[in-house]
Amino acid sequence: MDLESLFSSFGGAAQRSSNGSEGADYAAALPTMAACARSQPQETDVQLRSERSKFEVTAMAGRCERNMPEVLTTKAIQSSDAWGVRATHLSAIPLTRKPSGHAKEPAPRHPAKQYPFVLDPFQAMGINFIERDESVLVSAHTSAGKTVVAEYAIAKSFRDSQRVIYTSPIKALSNQKFRDLQSEFGDVGLMTGDITINPLAKCLVMTTEILRSMLYRGSEVMREVKWVIYDEIHYMRDRDRGVVWEESIILLPHTIRYVFLSATIPNAHEFAAWIATIHHQPCHVVYTEFRPTPLVHYVFPAGGNGLHLVVDELGNFRDSNFQKAMAHLPCPVSVPTAHGVASNAVSTRSRRPQQDDDDLRKVLSHVHRCDLQPCIVFSFSKNKCEKNARSLSASNYTTTAEKVLIQEIFRAAVRSLSVEDRELPQVQQLVSLLERGVGVHHGGLLPVVKEVVEILFQEGLIKVLFATETFAIGINMPAKSVIFTECRKYDGSEFRWLSAGEYIQMSGRAGRRGKDDRGTVIQMLNERIEPESAKYILCGKPEALNSSYHVTYNMLLNLLRVEGADPDHLVRSSFHRYQQASKAPALLVRADALQAKADAIDVDGLARQVHKVKRQLDVIRNDLRRRSVQCPGRVLQWLQPGRLVYFRATRPRQPSDAGSRDENAHSIVQSTGRWGVIVAVQAPKHLPSVLEHEQMSETGHHQLVDVLVGSVFDKDRLTIRNASLDSAQFWTVPVSTIVELSALRVHMPSDLRKPESISMVYHSLREIEQRFNTDVVTAVWGNGRSLHKDPLPLLDPLQDMKLNDDGDFVKHATTARKLDVKLQHLLADQPLDSLAAVWKHVEEWESKGNLERDAEKCRRLAINTSCPATSDLYCMRSVLQRLGHITKDNNVITLKGRAACEINAANELVASELLFCGAFSGLRPPVIAAMLSCLVHTDQRKYGEVELRGQLHAPRRLLLDTAMRVADAMRCASLSVDVHEFAESFNPELMELVYEWARGAAFATVIKLSDAYEGTVIRVIRRLDELIRQLASASAAIGNGEMKAQFELTSTQVRRDLVFAASLYL
């Protein structure tokens, strides 16, 4: 399909809505702005690069009425240069405005900035829009050159005597950008909360949080700003901080123009349409999937001896090579103790083969031999990064001259530290690594150490860098190759496969533009993975940019403080609300389609009667199961090894499942039932991802059962297909998933790790299948569907489990028997050969009800397009009223509310409650600092109760009481909150450390009081200082000068030495 026809539906509606006057092609000119010409490549190279630069644009297609109801979106225009570099452009324009550009628009006579190279098409497009004073979103891969467009916006602002703001997601990236831009433009300032440099500069680099705070306070700076540059705008999908991006964009004046820099996102057009809608101005998308340096992807299987090329530089997945790599990996089998209680949870995930140090050394040796250094080795924990680095104790990658240079740079970097701080174990250990060309980069490093690692890596002195994924955010530090030591990561709740977006972000660091012909990516695999799942990770498309918007108390208070400000308007203007509204037409279409399917289903009266009785019986039997086979106290004695068990389970979530754009899809695939053989019973320790979340009780204290499953079990039926160890899997399931227990048991060998033992079990199962009908429906419903075999015998709760003494159980069981008799009576007159047809009609009638319910659900979703934050807004207003931040009659902000407006470094409600209840009165600065450290230390607690010195007990108790009072107000306002869990979330594990630090102890001394990383401690103390300074501002806002002075003194005692050492970038 050609591009014209591909986007005909996309632009057609917009053209019709404007009577054809605005439907003309709206393309950017591609002016040649280079000072020198690029030499023409040979024809073969042109063909190769052109072939390599192909990309999908179908994800951007859609109807204007559905996705952008208030804007005109023109057709996509694709351009390419002689090298095959392609770029797609489309525009979102308010219906009240006409396109201002022309396909043949000439280059600007006096460009704001000249480049010593020929611009890529997407760079030239973006620059042309900036020259027209129109906003642009540049979406391209890492290292593609997006910064060129941002730099041009800054140069244009300097040329036109305007001010420009450059925002970044993290403070460290702001420091780096400040250094880079200052060397380029000179008049550049920095504002990060910790540091303010040259705030009157024409170009201000700041974090997005600082920009939002300026907007809340109505800063005069915004009157002079023409351009705002958002770096890493895809960070807006972040669950916790994405709301900051969204609020700042909404609050900016309509006169501001934007440059958004983003990794590739398939719904870039949707984001641009949102900008055009809320700010009534055109927003253009310049999108390219071209990689300046192509990537090749290899797999190294655990225990293997070589690399397997699985994706070539043209993006072709080589299935045969992938299968060869998988053949080196053992099948995912883990075997618990056959009898008794297993000592560990059993799952194919928790006991998968581990990559050892020898494998990593093999890969790094190959990288060194093939001249693929520098390389970045990604791991997903700080401990693994350091462990992997230490495993290279015998490796040396630097020359004598490089060692001398590394030593000089490192000594200069730590010169500002005290002698005692230079002797810190982390500093000394890293020196020996750096001298050999090995580096470590993660959030637990001292800031000065992390920065010197970055500088050495940029200078090419570090050959092997072990890093966490945070290294892939922001600043452009590419390498020649990238290695992944694992393909799973822990996301806070479970170990899961990498998503395609995460893999793209990190693997994109491979290949240096202008230096390397290709970038090399090596994935070390220690477990088998399905080819489709591997294709999704290695070749998958990036994730869509979906809003994570939610209402915060700080936002609500700051808007209520401003006369005429409307928090509801902010929620209605959110990207989340826009996306919801865009889905409404499609939901209605789906509802109509589902309803049409339901209307087409009709069955006779008998099937309807059977279905009605069956549904009633299902409800009662589920209740009986909860009281019998799902009750640990009653069923435990019947869970002997070898007993057949039927349980509810799901297949584990695959990497490709994460790529679904259906927000209503469950994180785990729809559950089904399956048979298994009980192997052992164990204490509740770990629930693998094969189980549905709702199957876990609120406390999570389940009795767990180890169950043998495999290809021998096929959903509801037991079918013998493969009696081998390769098909064996052992799952750990909670008792709450058990549906039925069979009265039959098979003999269980003592050692299930042997193939002959598995074959013995499968032989017993084969005999059961030949004798009984193992269809679970048959087993439950008697002879209803069995024509030739007796149903598999099940345990009877009354006769076998002896539950006759439970009156309610007997009553429900009696009702179930009556309904069962009624059901059998309905089917009694039916000949055996027609029973199958009756049950088929019953299933059809049940599917009709499911279709009707799904259709109604779609209608409700389409009608209720309001953001969930809307309902939260009213509840949160109620919380503020209960706590006295706003008045109950007219929502006017009170003195307490004004104090809370000053606080955003921690929970503003708890902090302001502490301030107003006099919690800090009479406390010395070290105690104040220790108490407040609980509010800023947000890491999950590692230990139970923390031992504290006597003078810290009362402040800790007061903090807990205050937090529970705040949580109780939330609960009374119908917000979902666990009062105890909320109070315990304020982590006290660094109270002793912070207390000693505020008393003047050296960092080398206080770090011994905790097992936290040095970088984590510094991050907490810096955030603590920010909170203390905000509390000083809050005290000033309410006129409490004495408390203000006390907080300022506390800040003075906290803000010192290594923790607040100046950045090397400044």
Side-chain angles (χ1 to χ4, degrees), residues 816-1040:
R817 278 199 299 269
K818 290 180 179 178
L819 289 172
D820 199 17
V821 171
K822 183 177 181 180
L823 182 65
Q824 298 299 334
H825 178 71
L826 288 171
L827 299 173
D829 295 335
Q830 298 296 318
L832 285 178
D833 55 358
S834 65
L835 280 178
V838 172
W839 282 107
K840 181 179 180 182
H841 290 160
V842 170
E843 292 174 354
E844 289 176 353
W845 190 250
E846 186 169 359
S847 67
K848 177 184 178 74
N850 292 334
L851 288 170
E852 290 176 337
R853 284 189 290 273
D854 290 343
E856 182 59 27
K857 182 179 179 181
C858 288
R859 292 190 193 97
R860 288 198 303 268
L861 288 173
I863 295 172
N864 184 26
T865 56
S866 62
C867 175
T870 304
S871 58
D872 290 344
L873 188 63
Y874 299 111
C875 296
M876 293 170 73
R877 276 200 182 106
S878 178
V879 173
L880 295 178
Q881 291 171 354
R882 291 172 185 273
L883 295 176
H885 290 272
I886 59 177
T887 59
K888 293 185 178 181
D889 50 353
N890 52 8
N891 291 331
V892 175
I893 193 167
T894 63
L895 198 61
K896 182 188 283 190
R898 292 186 181 277
C901 285
E902 303 293 329
I903 303 169
N904 58 36
N907 188 291
E908 53 279 304
L909 300 186
V910 175
S912 58
E913 285 296 311
L914 290 171
L915 180 63
F916 272 75
C917 75
F920 306 112
S921 300
L923 297 182
R924 296 185 297 111
V927 179
I928 293 176
M931 183 181 186
L932 291 175
S933 70
C934 301
L935 272 68
V936 295
H937 184 31
T938 56
D939 289 1
Q940 188 173 359
R941 292 176 64 167
K942 299 179 182 177
Y943 314 105
E945 290 299 320
V946 179
E947 293 186 9
L948 301 173
R949 65 186 69 213
Q951 55 190 312
L952 297 182
H953 280 294
R956 168 66 178 162
R957 183 69 256 170
L958 181 58
L959 172 61
L960 287 176
D961 293 341
T962 303
M964 285 191 283
R965 188 166 65 252
V966 171
D968 189 62
M970 295 178 181
R971 182 180 57 79
C972 293
S974 301
L975 288 174
S976 177
V977 60
D978 185 306
V979 175
H980 180 73
E981 183 179 336
F982 178 81
E984 291 296 328
S985 67
F986 300 104
N987 195 337
E989 292 176 347
L990 292 182
M991 287 185 72
E992 285 285 343
L993 184 151
V994 170
Y995 178 83
E996 291 296 336
W997 175 256
R999 290 183 61 194
F1003 188 83
T1005 301
V1006 302
I1007 197 64
K1008 298 176 183 178
L1009 300 176
S1010 171
D1011 59 359
Y1013 279 97
E1014 291 87 339
T1016 301
V1017 171
I1018 288 180
R1019 189 163 55 251
V1020 169
I1021 296 178
R1022 285 183 173 181
R1023 192 174 178 189
L1024 170 64
D1025 177 67
E1026 187 176 356
L1027 173 60
I1028 293 171
R1029 288 186 284 112
Q1030 290 175 359
L1031 283 168
S1033 299
S1035 300
I1038 62 177
N1040 192 336

Side-chain angles (χ1 to χ4, degrees), residues 606-614 823 826-827 838-839 842:
L606 175 62
R608 298 185 187 188
Q609 290 179 327
V610 171
H611 176 261
K612 181 179 179 180
V613 175
K614 178 181 174 295
L823 182 65
L826 288 171
L827 299 173
V838 172
W839 282 107
V842 170

Side-chain angles (χ1 to χ4, degrees), residues 588-760:
L588 290 174
V589 170
R590 176 168 173 75
D592 292 341
L594 291 171
Q595 188 63 53
K597 285 184 178 180
D599 293 341
I601 297 175
D602 192 19
V603 298
D604 57 31
L606 175 62
R608 298 185 187 188
Q609 290 179 327
V610 171
H611 176 261
K612 181 179 179 180
V613 175
K614 178 181 174 295
R615 288 201 63 180
Q616 295 172 345
L617 195 52
D618 283 343
V619 172
I620 295 177
R621 278 183 167 158
N622 287 335
D623 181 70
L624 292 174
R625 291 186 185 108
R626 285 191 291 269
R627 296 167 178 262
S628 57
V629 294
Q630 295 177 1
C631 178
R634 291 176 169 177
V635 77
L636 190 59
Q637 61 179 313
W638 301 96
L639 301 180
Q640 304 103 322
R643 186 177 299 279
L644 289 177
V645 58
Y646 184 82
F647 62 96
R648 293 192 312 272
T650 62
R651 67 174 175 83
R653 181 171 59 180
Q654 296 297 312
S656 54
D657 298 333
S660 173
R661 297 185 63 184
D662 183 3
E663 292 183 352
N664 299 318
H666 296 301
S667 60
I668 299 177
V669 180
Q670 183 181 2
S671 64
T672 59
R674 67 185 305 161
W675 283 102
V677 179
I678 296 176
V679 176
V681 178
Q682 61 167 308
K685 292 183 179 180
H686 172 69
L687 288 175
S689 62
V690 296
L691 302 175
E692 291 183 316
H693 180 71
E694 59 264 26
Q695 293 169 356
M696 301 168 59
S697 69
E698 292 182 0
T699 60
H701 296 298
H702 277 282
Q703 187 72 47
L704 303 182
V705 184
D706 297 327
V707 181
L708 169 65
V709 297
S711 64
V712 65
F713 299 107
D714 183 15
K715 292 186 178 180
D716 289 342
R717 288 189 63 84
L718 187 154
T719 57
I720 306 300
R721 293 201 308 262
N722 187 358
S724 69
L725 187 65
D726 289 349
S727 65
Q729 295 181 7
F730 292 87
W731 287 7
T732 300
V733 303
V735 169
S736 60
T737 64
I738 295 177
V739 177
E740 300 292 347
L741 287 175
S742 172
L744 300 180
R745 293 173 58 188
V746 299
H747 173 71
M748 298 296 288
S750 58
D751 189 356
L752 287 177
R753 288 171 295 187
K754 299 178 180 179
E756 55 268 25
S757 298
I758 297 290
S759 297
M760 185 182 300

